Amino acid sequence: MLFRSYKKAKVIFEKHQCEPRLTILNIKYATFKSLNNEIPKAISILLELQKLPNLNTNMRSTIYHNLAEMYLCNEQTALASIYYKKAYCVEPDINTGFSYAWCIYKLNQPKSKVLSVIRQVKKSKDIRDGFWYLCEWLRCIIVHEKDSHLHLLEKASTYFKDNQEIYFIHELMMYECLRMNNYDACLSHALSLLNDQTVFKSIPPKS
């Protein structure tokens, strides 16, 4: 049903040359594909969309951000980092900035580079929110790597309501527990995710 509706709308927008609306439609369709675990198809759609010459800032940022999320879900961290950086350069925000910093940290890039990105990202955000605390956590595990900084993740978690973001916070908490060799706490976080009856989607793309 949804596919038929998509095809009908696509034909109408193509007939009347409504390129911005057609682009939005295809971004939404890629989101639908990713949420149904058809990530390669969703990536293919977005890779074609990014080639369009007349994308506005929001569209281009959204396409780059969603590509990064999908590559990260596929554990293609290097590709994810490329598109997070592109998205951040087009439309800087602390969410994308943290994600970029986290990717290059996981890729074992120089700590000085990660810290530089974090400093730049935090400057763009005066108000402390969940992603501000995530940036601070990432900075601390680099600068004070022998200490536990779980309290910063716990603080960050109080700002998040979206299921996928909560899931991500638990994953970071598991990472922090493993980093400190606290295997019992890591197991506890893992079990809390397995016991949660909420169905977590693979991707939370920007709509």
Side-chain angles (χ1 to χ4, degrees):
M1 179 68 72
L2 188 145
F3 179 72
R4 288 201 300 270
S5 299
Y6 162 75
K7 294 293 287 185
K8 287 180 181 178
K10 186 171 183 287
V11 168
I12 293 170
F13 291 149
E14 287 176 340
K15 180 179 178 180
H16 295 281
Q17 297 182 333
C18 300
E19 291 186 11
R21 290 182 176 84
L22 180 60
T23 301
I24 293 170
L25 177 69
N26 283 321
I27 291 173
K28 293 282 189 180
Y29 187 59
T31 299
F32 169 77
K33 286 293 186 182
S34 71
L35 292 175
N36 283 275
N37 293 317
E38 297 181 66
I39 294 177
K41 176 63 177 177
I43 288 175
S44 176
I45 293 169
L46 294 178
L47 287 175
E48 288 302 311
L49 289 179
Q50 73 166 340
K51 298 175 184 177
L52 296 175
N54 298 317
L55 294 171
N56 63 36
T57 298
N58 182 258
M59 287 179 182
R60 189 168 296 281
S61 172
T62 299
I63 290 168
Y64 289 156
H65 185 276
N66 289 3
L67 276 168
E69 295 283 292
M70 293 173 194
Y71 280 128
L72 191 61
C73 185
N74 268 1
E75 299 183 356
Q76 295 173 279
T77 308
L79 284 170
S81 71
I82 290 171
Y83 281 98
Y84 277 130
K85 183 178 181 180
K86 286 185 175 185
Y88 186 79
C89 289
V90 172
E91 195 172 30
D93 68 69
I94 197 165
N95 176 342
T96 305
F98 168 76
S99 298
Y100 172 55
W102 176 238
C103 281
I104 62 176
Y105 171 80
K106 289 175 67 179
L107 290 168
N108 295 315
Q109 294 201 18
K111 292 178 180 179
S112 58
K113 180 178 180 179
V114 182
L115 291 172
S116 176
V117 171
I118 293 170
R119 281 195 299 270
Q120 180 182 354
V121 170
K122 288 176 72 178
K123 282 181 182 178
S124 67
K125 191 77 173 183
D126 295 329
I127 300 173
R128 296 189 178 187
D129 63 3
F131 281 102
W132 189 95
Y133 282 104
L134 291 185
C135 286
E136 180 63 10
W137 167 76
L138 184 53
R139 184 192 71 83
C140 286
I141 67 172
I142 294 172
V143 177
H144 308 289
E145 59 183 342
K146 293 183 178 180
D147 300 324
S148 172
H149 304 287
L150 189 61
H151 66 284
L152 290 169
L153 294 177
E154 291 171 344
K155 183 68 175 178
S157 70
T158 64
Y159 289 87
F160 296 121
K161 305 300 179 185
D162 178 83
N163 283 340
Q164 184 67 28
E165 290 174 336
I166 294 170
Y167 187 87
F168 180 56
I169 289 291
H170 276 286
E171 288 185 327
L172 293 181
M173 288 179 173
M174 288 170 61
Y175 177 86
E176 177 70 358
C177 292
L178 286 175
R179 193 180 68 85
M180 300 305 297
N181 298 319
N182 190 343
Y183 302 112
D184 289 338
C186 180
L187 177 61
S188 177
H189 284 293
L191 291 176
S192 70
L193 293 178
L194 290 173
N195 292 333
D196 198 315
Q197 297 303 307
T198 304
V199 177
F200 291 100
K201 298 296 186 180
S202 300
I203 299 290
K206 295 171 74 174
S207 59

